[in-house]
Amino acid sequence: MRRYIYLFFLLFLLVACNNRNVGKTTVSIVGDEFYINGKPTFEGKTWRGMKIQGLLPNSRMINGIFDDLNPETVSQWKYPDTNVWSAERNTNEFVDAMSTWRKHGLLAFVIGMQGGSPKGYGNKGWINTAFAPDGSLRQSYMARLEKILNEADKLGMVVILQLFYFGQDEYLDGDAAILAAVDNTVEWVKKKGYKNILFEVVNECDNSAYEQALLKPDRVLELIKRVQSHSFLVSTSFNGRVVPNKEVCECADFILLHGNGAKSVDVIKKQITETKKMIKDNPKPVIYNEDDHYDFEKPMNNFVMATSQYVSWGYFDYRRKNEAFEEGFQSIPIDWSIRSERKRAFFNLISQW
């Protein structure tokens, strides 16, 4: 009997220690600035004469827990060296790369419960969702997510956790399942003790590919308010170049923008100007968390333009046709290291901060 009591006590201590180790990193918002562990990011710093205190540069690493539950399409994602797909390898290599991203100055990344297009754009045929049809959580996905969130917490990084993505929403059985998915995810995050999470309830809620009405602009506030009721910071994004509607600008804790489709930095400046008019009476952080424009070697690009307007910028990189395996952070299978020219250019820029 004593032996069992002793073993139980050791198990209790192990669980307690693990719980104490989570929650090291806390994200908060003060005015229009992001804070990590009670201090503004890049406290007191400027870059090229521009204020960067309070900004949250980020990268779209959306497919860190990706898998394909459709046996007819899973063969598309096989690794070039093994000729098979492995969800565990994908996540493990993600975790292994995170400390390098952080050393280069990256403070935040976006990851999704339903991922993003494994081909860069378009999302049809494969099944990649952490939610069962009734909104319950698939434990294999959550185990992979936990690995990533634990490492982010340890490294002092913020995670923008995206819940729903078009092309995968149809695998949920209506409003009840969507609400259950929100509640289950938020409760899971809360129970685990993570305090470094910003929620993006819906990626591009105005995208015409969504089949569920609850995920569209007319009703997305229901999801934002539901997450806020659990005392988490939350927003939603719209399509590239779009200015979020008045209701979202008033309700969300921060504003998410996408720069996809912007053919010049002037388009970015106009989008930011119009967005900031919407929140002039209630300033809050504005952050791009998706933009597939680069030109990092030039004195002016979308990253620099956003920074000049005091807006955080987010790097979105996918593998173009006929490009090598090391290109892109979204196209499956993914090389999570910084080996391509585009990746090096982005991380070299952010390392200057």
Side-chain angles (χ1 to χ4, degrees):
M1 176 63 75
R2 288 183 179 178
R3 179 185 177 189
Y4 289 115
I5 293 174
Y6 178 70
L7 289 174
F8 177 81
F9 181 68
L10 285 179
L11 180 62
F12 173 80
L13 286 179
L14 181 61
V15 172
C17 287
N18 285 339
N19 288 340
R20 282 199 300 270
N21 287 336
V22 173
K24 170 185 174 183
T25 302
T26 301
V27 63
S28 58
I29 292 173
V30 178
D32 60 355
E33 295 185 345
F34 285 104
Y35 276 52
I36 295 179
N37 295 337
K39 293 183 178 181
T41 62
F42 306 106
E43 187 173 15
K45 291 187 177 182
T46 60
W47 178 68
R48 298 184 183 178
M50 297 176 283
K51 175 186 174 182
I52 60 172
Q53 175 176 304
L55 293 184
L56 193 67
N58 63 95
S59 181
R60 183 173 172 83
M61 310 298 200
I62 198 71
N63 282 325
I65 60 172
F66 178 91
D67 200 2
D68 187 354
L69 307 180
N70 184 351
E72 296 181 4
T73 57
V74 69
S75 63
Q76 296 183 61
W77 323 122
K78 57 190 178 184
Y79 283 93
D81 59 341
T82 63
N83 215 34
V84 295
W85 162 247
S86 170
E88 295 305 314
R89 173 180 172 177
N90 179 57
T91 296
N92 290 339
E93 291 182 355
F94 184 111
V95 172
D96 290 342
M98 289 171 66
S99 61
T100 302
W101 306 339
R102 184 65 188 88
K103 288 175 183 176
H104 279 77
L106 189 69
L107 289 187
F109 59 86
V110 190
I111 194 166
M113 299 289 284
Q114 296 189 319
S117 172
K119 293 191 174 182
Y121 285 97
N123 196 41
K124 194 170 184 179
W126 41 88
I127 302 173
N128 172 43
T129 173
F131 306 121
D134 63 356
S136 58
L137 304 178
R138 289 189 163 115
Q139 293 308 307
S140 58
Y141 277 81
M142 303 315 291
R144 294 194 296 274
L145 181 61
E146 186 171 4
K147 290 180 182 180
I148 290 172
L149 298 190
N150 284 349
E151 185 70 6
D153 183 69
K154 183 177 77 174
L155 293 171
M157 300 182 78
V158 173
V159 179
I160 302 172
L161 184 57
Q162 176 187 296
L163 299 186
F164 302 109
Y165 189 74
F166 54 83
Q168 300 299 319
D169 64 307
E170 56 260 44
Y171 298 116
L172 285 158
D173 292 338
D175 286 7
I178 292 172
L179 295 176
V182 172
D183 290 343
N184 289 333
T185 305
V186 172
E187 288 297 335
W188 182 90
V189 169
K190 185 183 295 185
K191 182 178 180 180
K192 293 293 181 181
Y194 300 116
K195 300 176 182 178
N196 58 333
I197 309 298
L198 301 170
F199 281 95
E200 176 184 7
V201 284
V202 184
N203 174 80
E204 297 183 352
C205 63
D206 58 334
N207 195 294
S208 61
Y210 280 110
E211 298 185 12
Q212 307 269 6
L214 186 50
L215 305 181
K216 298 180 181 182
D218 287 346
R219 296 187 62 193
V220 73
L221 255 62
E222 296 176 40
L223 303 184
I224 290 176
K225 291 177 179 178
R226 200 172 187 94
V227 174
Q228 287 173 331
S229 71
H230 293 273
S231 300
F232 282 102
L233 300 169
V234 57
S235 188
T236 191
S237 61
F238 288 71
N239 281 323
R241 298 167 292 155
V242 172
V243 175
N245 62 35
K246 178 181 178 182
E247 292 74 20
V248 167
C249 285
E250 289 178 349
C251 183
D253 296 296
F254 53 96
I255 307 301
L256 286 173
L257 300 180
H258 285 182
N260 314 50
K263 295 182 178 180
S264 75
V265 295
D266 293 334
V267 175
I268 294 297
K269 184 176 182 179
K270 180 181 179 184
Q271 184 185 23
I272 293 171
T273 299
E274 293 181 357
T275 299
K276 289 204 169 185
K277 285 180 181 177
M278 302 280 283
I279 57 174
K280 67 182 188 322
D281 295 327
N282 183 23
K284 57 187 69 175
V286 180
I287 176 172
Y288 282 89
N289 72 332
E290 184 175 334
D291 191 351
D292 58 359
H293 295 83
Y294 315 117
D295 293 330
F296 298 124
E297 74 285 356
K298 296 180 179 179
M300 181 54 70
N301 51 55
N302 287 7
F303 177 101
V304 177
M305 175 56 75
T307 305
S308 74
Q309 303 301 302
Y310 194 62
V311 168
S312 306
W313 191 82
Y315 173 59
F316 166 36
D317 188 11
Y318 62 95
R319 187 183 303 118
R320 274 66 173 176
K321 186 177 181 180
N322 297 324
E323 284 189 331
F325 169 61
E326 61 264 23
E327 297 286 354
F329 277 133
Q330 180 158 313
S331 305
I332 301 291
I334 301 169
D335 179 350
W336 294 108
S337 68
I338 307 173
R339 293 201 298 155
S340 76
E341 183 177 344
R342 280 198 304 270
K343 293 175 183 178
R344 284 194 297 267
F346 168 69
F347 279 100
N348 285 342
L349 195 63
I350 197 63
S351 67
Q352 297 173 18
W353 286 27

